[in-house]
Amino acid sequence: MIGELDPKGEYMTHRLYRQHCIVFEDLYIKDLRLFSNRKKEDLIIVDNLIYSFALDIENGIPIKSYYEGKE
């Protein structure tokens, strides 16, 4: 999906996946502190699970779940 929004990778240059998350009470949470060389206000997290951006709620954009062409 992100590849369709930015096919040349000009605007979204990094992606965080499960292996980049911290685990808190069996929840996988994305932590923008991984990008210490960037300003937090320049980063976004797009995810279908709102708890994924619990540490950085102001940087989160919630989306609907999408699996193999089905919402």
Side-chain angles (χ1 to χ4, degrees):
M1 182 64 122
I2 289 178
E4 292 176 28
L5 294 173
D6 184 24
K8 295 180 182 178
E10 297 175 76
Y11 305 103
M12 295 176 240
T13 58
H14 291 82
R15 298 180 190 185
L16 296 178
Y17 297 97
R18 186 169 283 232
Q19 67 266 28
H20 301 108
C21 295
I22 60 172
V23 180
F24 178 75
E25 295 183 11
D26 295 327
L27 300 175
Y28 288 81
I29 300 173
K30 296 173 180 170
D31 187 356
L32 294 179
R33 291 179 294 183
L34 290 171
F35 297 100
S36 59
N37 62 336
R38 296 173 187 243
K39 291 190 262 180
K40 198 173 191 178
E41 58 266 18
D42 293 338
L43 304 173
I44 61 169
I45 300 172
V46 178
D47 205 293
N48 63 319
L49 301 171
I50 195 163
Y51 64 76
S52 294
F53 44 86
L55 294 176
D56 300 291
I57 197 79
E58 65 280 356
N59 298 78
I61 299 173
I63 60 170
K64 286 181 160 182
S65 297
Y66 183 84
Y67 300 102
E68 298 178 27
K70 300 175 185 173
E71 289 184 38

